[in-house]
Amino acid sequence: MTKKIAVLPGDGIGPEIIEQAVRVLGALSLDLELETQPVGGAAYDVHGHPLPPVTLELAKRSDAILFGAVGDWKYDNLPREHRPEQAILGLRRALGLFANLRPAVLYPELANASSLKPEVVAGLDILIVRELTGDIYFGQPRGVRLLDDGPFKGERQGFDTMHYAETEIRRIGHVAFQAARKRGKKLCSVDKANVLETSQFWRDIMIDVAKEYPDVELSHMYVDNAAMQLVRAPKAFDVIVTGNLFGDILSDEAAMLTGSIGMLPSASLNASNQGLYEPSHGSAPDIAGKNIANPLATMLSAAMMLRYSLDQSAQADRIEAAVQSVLQQGLRTADIYEEGTTRVSTSEMGDAVLKALK
Ligand code: NAD
């Protein structure tokens, strides 16, 4: 059956890197129907809104969205609701994308790019599953209030609310257990159960969900310890599942372990496995239009799309193997270049991956 893919290139390097990922998808002889619409600043320029109805409607009726990046300094003075970045928040909300999957993979060929010792990180392959639509980021009430009691009586106080409903924890738990099942069968749930009621509840529910996955080994770790272990012995992890706040911080920490932002894909999924797939980096306006951006994170995002939304794991494996092969050949875009390797442009990297696929 034909699968519909919404292609949203966006701003900055978005169109250049998406072009290469689309070439790769085209080489796989899959039954895909690709339709492109503008998003972010590019959509604001044409339609006066970063997520115009034509783009949102396309996203809603597609099986998956391949997203480049949005944002450019020239939109910095627009009112908040018209900024390019609002497009991502709007898509997450409209499609209910509650599960964010961010792999941190360090190919042995790029071990020198990490700030950690090569023997600590070479061959790193972990997956962080972050809950994306709940937690203290969205909890009500929030704001600034005047205290009428207690030691700070008469002062203003800023406050937010952390909460997780049982359904929110269960559904992210299932996504994480199922991902662990497809990998090394080890899941570490990260919380702060020694201090926070929300975290203790999170932990209790994870333990309950685990009963449905006897083949996956569940462990628990406090977030402060997890932050330490990620730099001490990151390869001890397989899959990490955590809430929105802790996941925001830990997924960036894990990404930086690899030292190469141009290599990291991501996926955001809803309950029906419809997903938005994008590189973890931004629109890099500083290098846009120069044909020097690294397209590999976007190609790897397309591989995740095949695996998680289109049930085409074998084709996803092919893309990942082709990426590994071009790295083994010593080909590098400027961001991952080091002495003794061959510097290539965005489109030359695309050519090389296509050749490796064949
Ligand atoms: P960025 O990720 O765009 O760039 C950070 C640095 O990494 C830059 O030096 C850039 O040249 C480099 N870089 C990023 N991707 C690269 C690639 N594929 N190849 C080679 N080098 C790469 O982050 P930033 O500069 O903080 O933000 C730029 C814009 O992107 C801002 O408008 C920001 O809001 C937006 N942004 C968008 C997303 C998204 O679309 N999901 C995410 C983060 C930032």
Side-chain angles (χ1 to χ4, degrees), residues 249-284:
I249 300 163
L250 293 183
S251 60
D252 269 9
E253 185 188 359
M256 279 305 111
L257 294 178
T258 72
S260 27
I261 184 97
M263 298 294 305
L264 297 170
S266 79
S268 303
L269 303 173
N270 68 16
S272 44
N273 279 342
Q274 189 188 24
L276 183 147
Y277 297 84
E278 57 172 335
S280 292
H281 57 72
S283 56

Side-chain angles (χ1 to χ4, degrees), residues 13 67 69-72 85 88 261-262 278 281-287 293-294 335:
I13 59 172
F67 190 97
V70 292
D72 192 292
E85 293 78 5
I88 301 183
I261 184 97
E278 57 172 335
H281 57 72
S283 56
D286 53 334
I287 58 167
N294 187 342
D335 57 312

Side-chain angles (χ1 to χ4, degrees), residues 226-255:
M228 284 198 294
Q229 298 308 324
L230 270 175
V231 285
R232 195 186 72 84
K235 286 192 273 185
F237 292 105
D238 177 21
V239 180
I240 292 175
V241 63
T242 189
N244 204 347
L245 170 64
F246 302 152
D248 191 1
I249 300 163
L250 293 183
S251 60
D252 269 9
E253 185 188 359

